[in-house]
Amino acid sequence: MPTVGVKRDLLFKALGRTYTDEEFDELCFEFGLELDEITSEKEIISREQGDSKASGASDIILYKIDVPANRYDLLCLEGLVRGLKVFKNKLEAPRYRRVSPANGEPQRLIITKETAAVRPYAVAAVLRNITFTQERYDSFIELQEKLHQNICRKRSLVAIGTHDLDTISGPFTYTAKPPGDICFKPLNQTKEYTATQLMSLYKTDSHLRHYLHIIEDKPAYPVIYDSNGVVLSMPPIINGDHSKIALKTKNVFIECTATDLTKAKTVLDMMVTMFSEYCAQPFTVEEAEVVYPDGKTCKYPELAYRKEKLSSEFINRKVGINESTEKIAQLLTRMCLLSQVTGVGDEIEVEIPPTRSDVIHACDIMEDAAMAYGFNNIPRTTPRTYTVANQFPLNKLTELLRQDLAAAGFTEALNFALCSQEDIADKLGKKIADTRAVHISNPKTAEFQVARTTLLPGLLKTVAANRKMPLPLKLFEISDVVLKDETKDVGARNSRRFCAVYYNKSPGFEVIHGLLDRTMQLLEVKSARGTGYHIQAADDSTFFPGRCAEIFVSGKSVGRLGVLHPDVINRFELTMPCSALEMDLEPFLGHTAETTLTHDVPMQEVIKHKFPTQDGSLQAPSSQPASTKTVFGDMSTPAGLKALNDFLADRSYMEGFVASQADTAVFDAIPSSPALTLCHLRRWYNHIKTFQRERASLPSAKSQFVLPATPPSLTNNTSDDDEDIDLFGSDDEAESAEVARIKEQRLAEYAAKKSKKPTLVAKSSILLDVKPWDDETDMGKLEECVRSVCMDGLLWGQSKLVPVGYGIKKLQIGCVVEDDKVGTDLLEETITAFEEYVQSVDVAAFNKI
């Protein structure tokens, strides 16, 4: 989203009132914007360039406001203030008009046929008798830049030129000439340059060099002249200095050259509508004529208003509200979309102004109505469709493997899915034609030419970038590769792979082989030919001859492991042996059948029909359940229903993740359908209602949720003696005792289950750089001081002295810490307390174990 920076005081002055930061943030949210940051020019420069550069900067408060990318009318202070005032009913949306010049002869822009090969389109307009102040001038220039970066796509589609009309004379000519034939004094320069010289001059310009590529390879460059041969501009690079605008400029000639005529019209409309309010006749724009090479003449700006018709029922249904047609018309008018009721049913006629080029469909109008109504005011409703989500099986397997591979001592890496052709072919000793790689048609860099077909190059490049880390380096990655597949509609498919590398002074094939065995153990695949897995010798140019094996599972090849070929190691700029393993994970998923959790039965059918019971007979709906008493309270009371609603707030079922007899028992205890206000209970109730047909086959309940209607103690001890009956007694005591007993039982079961779970202790491996004051510091004493630091959860490891320079060495020492007990800040603070020996402490490496 584009960000617009406006001065707070100037904004409040234009709005006609002062807001607190919180109030303005709320106003932005209501209008569909976001107040991203409250800062100042000084703070921005200080953050980006340092305090020294910010010494003379302004302290004026700036609001950074995020604006939707297609709302070009909000990219400047003028449009933002206008939109907010209309939204708050403080201003009526202005009516923009195109007028003819006083003398009856509009300015003309003649386009020659030479421009067809470069930028064939141009539009123009005049802002007559405009009054600039410094703030208005700055906003005018900033809007041009915002449009250039947004809809103009960095001037590649449209380039805007603004000129002081009083310094030039029409008609104007838009043509294209060889760069050597164009000569003029560009903006803010002191002498004339040819177009060729300008392209060389601006190659080092931090701002303009980004636009040179648009025309530098063209045989002819676009240029605009006035009737006296004065150069107005060389789009899309630079304007001429002769016609530059200033604060005293009264008449502004605006021209937009483009490769897209529609975009050019939109950009011109935005420029003139935003600043026409400063003209002598507010919101009027003087027309200009554009003559095309075929003789066709068009007048710009178009400032076209168009009308759309839609129903209030459409907006109510899509937004989820129930408002009258008149009310919705008022809401749309607040969004600068003048609307009125036609009187034909619930039809609304909406007028879309030239500033709202973002409105292209009825859904855009509906969105504005929702925004004006207030998203927070839309009533919350329960979805009509209920589903129970499950994790994608392949992702679930991946997550489980990641945890156990990390526990095996390997560190996970994450690399780009795109790589160079050399990475997957030449460096691995293969031919690109044999890789089944998907090629990128227009790669931006040589590093992203193809989609990777193997994870190995990414891990080897990661190792190469971390060669200075302590050995051994043990890395793994579980990600997708992309392979060509003619059976797929897109011609390619993703394949989930697992790859691991071991890099050390020795090849470590036994480590990689052990990791394979551990992985198969986790996947519950036994080591056996035929039904399990086995490895057998194979030849692969990536691996050392005689040191490569192919992995077979149930007779099917799923991957390879071995010691990498020395040539492969050298091509990745590595210096030590490396073993690798790569295999496909998808064969281990097997056949996964999706269990249907609900039936596609319309709600009307569920209510209308009676469902057969287990013996095949039809069960008539009972008007009164056997018992309404549950562990949550009496289901015939609002308190009991609310307690059950709260219980189901984060649950789909009473127990576990599938429907069971516990759900049907509680369902039967509820006398009637819950109220709409009990959204969680109603969701569950409607869902369980769909299980009536197969309720007898549902899993048994593990716990008792429904209590007997009459406590057993009363039925068993019934006596004819009236003295044994307490006429003024209450059933609440027996019920409370039963509820308390069940709660105690469930709490005890939960505590016992929780106590059996092993507690995972998070640990980290830290490598510290301890620097002495000078070369005379006793490094032995320094290490003794460091190792004297004792803490619960801290274990010191190996150390070595590393030369720094000028005879000075630093102590590099490793340690393992428990994350909950020891932090890096605490270690650094404790070690630097030895001021006699220690100058500073830095964390050289930090890895989770």
Side-chain angles (χ1 to χ4, degrees):
M1 294 174 67
T3 300
V4 179
V6 295
K7 296 178 180 179
R8 184 189 63 183
D9 296 341
L10 200 61
L11 174 64
F12 289 169
K13 180 180 178 182
L15 289 174
R17 63 157 291 186
T18 300
Y19 294 86
T20 65
D21 293 340
E22 292 76 15
E23 289 173 341
F24 188 73
D25 188 18
E26 182 64 24
L27 175 61
C28 287
F29 177 78
E30 292 175 2
F31 193 56
L33 310 178
E34 181 181 354
L35 180 57
D36 182 59
E37 185 182 7
I38 302 173
T39 182
S40 66
E41 182 182 338
K42 185 174 184 178
E43 185 177 340
I44 294 173
I45 297 176
S46 176
R47 184 170 60 243
E48 296 177 354
Q49 303 178 26
D51 294 337
S52 58
K53 299 284 186 180
S55 57
S58 172
D59 287 322
I60 297 176
I61 300 298
L62 297 178
Y63 277 167
K64 296 283 187 179
I65 303 172
D66 283 343
V67 176
N70 59 354
R71 289 297 302 270
Y72 315 121
D73 58 314
L74 302 178
L75 290 176
C76 63
L77 174 68
E78 288 72 17
L80 188 63
V81 169
R82 200 175 302 159
L84 288 173
K85 279 189 170 182
V86 174
F87 179 72
K88 299 297 287 184
N89 293 319
K90 294 182 178 178
L91 179 73
E92 289 187 6
R95 190 84 184 176
Y96 305 102
R97 295 184 301 115
R98 185 180 72 189
V99 297
S100 301
N103 60 8
E105 295 185 6
Q107 297 293 337
R108 302 181 73 199
L109 177 62
I110 303 169
I111 305 176
T112 66
K113 61 181 180 180
E114 288 80 9
T115 61
V118 196
R119 300 173 77 83
Y121 304 109
V123 294
V126 176
L127 290 176
R128 183 72 67 177
N129 294 322
I130 192 171
T131 302
F132 280 125
T133 63
Q134 187 63 54
E135 290 79 12
R136 295 174 183 177
Y137 178 82
D138 292 342
S139 181
F140 187 72
I141 299 299
E142 186 177 356
L143 177 60
Q144 292 182 58
E145 190 58 33
K146 292 288 185 186
L147 292 172
H148 276 151
Q149 296 301 316
N150 195 338
I151 184 175
C152 300
R153 296 295 186 270
K154 297 183 178 179
R155 304 190 188 182
S156 60
L157 298 181
V158 186
I160 309 168
T162 55
H163 312 278
D164 189 337
L165 186 58
D166 296 331
T167 63
I168 50 181
S169 60
F172 307 102
T173 304
Y174 174 44
T175 185
K177 289 186 176 182
D181 295 346
I182 301 173
C183 184
F184 68 103
K185 184 167 74 171
L187 192 64
N188 299 326
Q189 296 293 329
T190 57
K191 65 176 184 177
E192 293 188 347
Y193 293 86
T194 64
T196 306
Q197 293 171 333
L198 281 177
M199 299 301 274
S200 300
L201 175 67
Y202 291 138
K203 281 188 182 296
T204 57
D205 188 281
S206 60
H207 178 60
L208 296 177
R209 62 187 173 90
H210 301 293
Y211 312 120
L212 301 182
H213 70 278
I214 300 174
I215 62 170
E216 65 180 342
D217 295 329
K218 306 290 183 182
Y221 290 178
V223 63
I224 300 178
Y225 293 96
D226 76 347
S227 59
N228 297 322
V230 175
V231 173
L232 274 66
S233 66
M234 186 179 74
I237 308 301
I238 192 71
N239 288 347
D241 190 71
H242 179 83
S243 60
K244 67 180 179 181
I245 65 172
L247 287 178
K248 63 182 180 179
T249 299
K250 300 301 294 181
N251 302 301
V252 180
F253 178 68
I254 303 175
E255 43 84 6
C256 298
T257 58
T259 57
D260 186 321
L261 182 58
T262 302
K263 293 285 193 297
K265 293 177 183 178
T266 301
V267 169
L268 183 64
D269 282 350
M270 291 302 157
M271 287 297 300
V272 297
T273 54
M274 291 302 103
F275 289 89
S276 58
E277 68 172 295
Y278 300 136
C279 293
Q281 297 182 35
F283 305 113
T284 61
V285 185
E286 185 178 306
E287 65 186 13
E289 276 186 358
V290 176
V291 182
Y292 287 93
D294 60 359
K296 178 183 176 183
T297 301
C298 297
K299 292 185 177 181
Y300 297 107
E302 290 188 341
L303 297 182
Y305 285 82
R306 60 187 177 91
K307 294 184 178 181
E308 298 288 344
K309 293 181 180 180
L310 73 166
S311 67
S312 61
E313 184 275 333
F314 168 78
I315 293 178
N316 279 324
R317 175 165 45 87
K318 293 295 183 182
V319 178
I321 57 179
N322 186 22
E323 295 294 331
S324 65
T325 305
E326 292 76 11
K327 175 65 174 179
I328 291 177
Q330 293 173 9
L331 293 175
L332 291 172
T333 302
R334 290 177 58 198
M335 301 302 292
C336 294
L337 301 176
L338 183 61
S339 304
Q340 57 185 4
V341 179
T342 63
V344 181
D346 62 347
E347 188 179 71
I348 301 174
E349 185 179 73
V350 182
E351 185 179 60
I352 302 166
T355 55
R356 294 300 305 274
S357 59
D358 59 298
V359 179
I360 57 179
H361 189 274
C363 289
D364 298 312
I365 300 175
M366 176 270 294
E367 182 186 16
D368 272 16
M371 205 176 298
Y373 184 82
F375 291 120
N376 289 337
N377 298 326
I378 298 175
R380 183 177 178 180
T381 57
T382 305
R384 296 179 61 86
T385 304
Y386 308 104
T387 59
V388 179
N390 284 314
Q391 189 175 11
F392 189 54
L394 184 58
N395 289 341
K396 185 175 182 179
L397 174 64
T398 299
E399 292 299 326
L400 292 172
L401 271 179
R402 280 175 174 151
Q403 296 179 23
D404 285 293
L405 291 172
F410 280 73
T411 302
E412 185 176 13
L414 187 63
N415 293 293
F416 292 115
L418 299 180
C419 62
S420 67
Q421 297 184 27
E422 187 182 27
D423 287 342
I424 61 171
D426 299 340
K427 288 185 178 181
L428 297 182
K430 299 181 183 296
K431 295 181 180 178
I432 188 65
D434 300 333
T435 59
R436 294 193 296 161
V438 176
H439 293 251
I440 308 300
S441 61
N442 56 339
K444 291 294 183 182
T445 67
E447 288 296 313
F448 302 120
Q449 295 174 317
V450 295
R452 61 182 176 184
T453 57
T454 170
L455 302 179
L456 184 58
L459 286 182
L460 293 179
K461 291 167 77 173
T462 303
V463 171
N466 292 272
R467 288 191 301 263
K468 296 181 180 180
M469 298 294 290
L471 297 176
L473 293 179
K474 300 191 291 183
L475 304 178
F476 80 92
E477 181 175 5
I478 305 179
S479 294
D480 284 355
V481 299
V482 181
L483 303 173
K484 285 184 179 178
D485 189 343
E486 299 300 330
T487 64
K488 302 296 182 182
D489 57 346
V490 294
R493 64 179 173 87
N494 281 21
S495 178
R496 186 66 52 87
R497 296 280 183 88
F498 157 51
C499 184
V501 296
Y502 178 84
Y503 179 74
N504 201 1
K505 295 179 181 179
S506 59
F509 177 77
E510 68 280 0
V511 177
I512 288 296
H513 193 180
L515 183 65
L516 171 65
D517 292 339
R518 173 58 179 160
T519 304
M520 292 300 180
Q521 183 184 27
L522 293 169
L523 295 171
E524 298 182 353
V525 180
K526 295 182 180 180
S527 177
R529 288 182 177 270
T531 58
Y533 80 96
H534 70 279
I535 62 174
Q536 66 183 43
D539 291 327
D540 191 314
S541 57
T542 303
F543 296 92
F544 196 84
R547 295 291 185 272
C548 175
E550 194 163 4
I551 307 167
F552 288 89
V553 174
S554 300
K556 180 182 177 182
S557 175
V558 297
R560 295 191 174 185
L561 77 160
V563 180
L564 295 181
H565 198 286
D567 292 342
V568 174
I569 293 175
N570 290 333
R571 292 181 192 125
F572 283 95
E573 301 177 1
L574 301 176
T575 57
M576 294 185 185
C578 184
S579 295
L581 154 70
E582 184 164 4
M583 57 187 283
D584 192 356
L585 289 181
E586 295 185 9
F588 298 97
L589 283 175
H591 178 70
T592 56
E594 294 294 334
T595 303
T596 304
L597 298 179
T598 59
H599 293 284
D600 188 14
V601 180
M603 192 59 67
Q604 295 87 339
E605 295 296 316
V606 176
I607 297 172
K608 185 190 303 181
H609 295 288
K610 301 173 183 178
F611 294 98
T613 58
Q614 189 173 3
D615 59 1
S617 62
L618 291 177
Q619 179 185 9
S622 174
S623 59
Q624 182 66 28
S627 173
T628 61
K629 301 185 186 302
T630 69
V631 295
F632 306 101
D634 194 333
M635 290 295 103
S636 62
T637 64
L641 292 174
K642 185 179 185 306
L644 180 56
N645 180 72
D646 295 340
F647 175 79
L648 291 169
D650 57 353
R651 293 175 174 85
S652 297
Y653 302 100
M654 301 301 298
E655 294 179 333
F657 301 100
V658 294
S660 67
Q661 298 289 347
D663 293 281
T664 58
V666 177
F667 178 86
D668 292 339
I670 301 175
S672 60
S673 180
L676 291 174
T677 55
L678 303 173
C679 57
H680 305 299
L681 176 56
R682 189 176 179 85
R683 163 184 56 79
W684 170 86
Y685 185 89
N686 291 335
H687 181 51
I688 299 303
K689 188 186 293 185
T690 65
F691 287 90
Q692 297 300 316
R693 187 181 296 274
E694 69 273 20
R695 60 183 296 164
S697 62
L698 294 177
S700 301
K702 298 178 182 178
S703 303
Q704 182 182 3
F705 290 91
V706 179
L707 305 178
T710 305
S713 58
L714 294 180
T715 58
N716 295 336
N717 300 325
T718 302
S719 172
D720 295 336
D721 190 353
D722 292 342
E723 293 180 0
D724 294 338
I725 301 176
D726 183 4
L727 297 177
F728 301 95
S730 172
D731 291 341
D732 292 345
E733 296 179 4
E735 179 183 335
S736 300
E738 181 66 15
V739 172
R741 183 189 66 79
I742 292 175
K743 286 184 178 179
E744 289 291 338
Q745 177 186 346
R746 299 177 83 184
L747 287 172
E749 291 174 356
Y750 175 74
K753 184 178 179 181
K754 187 174 181 181
S755 64
K756 294 178 182 178
K757 291 185 178 180
T759 303
L760 296 177
V761 179
K763 294 184 179 181
S764 300
S765 174
I766 303 175
L767 186 66
L768 298 174
D769 282 345
V770 185
K771 297 177 183 177
W773 286 105
D774 50 39
D775 57 345
E776 297 181 357
T777 302
D778 187 345
M779 298 303 292
K781 187 65 176 176
L782 184 146
E783 181 176 358
E784 181 182 337
C785 292
V786 172
R787 291 186 180 275
S788 67
V789 176
C790 295
M791 300 179 185
D792 184 23
L794 169 64
L795 178 64
W796 291 109
Q798 295 180 346
S799 64
K800 63 180 179 180
L801 297 179
V802 180
V804 177
Y806 303 101
I808 301 175
K809 295 182 179 180
K810 66 180 179 182
L811 174 67
Q812 200 168 72
I813 185 168
C815 64
V816 176
V817 301
E818 293 183 20
D819 295 347
D820 291 340
K821 298 179 179 179
V822 182
T824 55
D825 292 341
L826 179 60
L827 271 178
E828 292 176 14
E829 182 180 346
T830 308
I831 295 173
T832 51
F834 300 105
E835 297 178 351
E836 183 178 354
Y837 303 99
V838 179
Q839 180 188 12
S840 65
V841 180
D842 297 317
V843 177
F846 185 94
N847 293 308
K848 292 285 186 180
I849 299 178

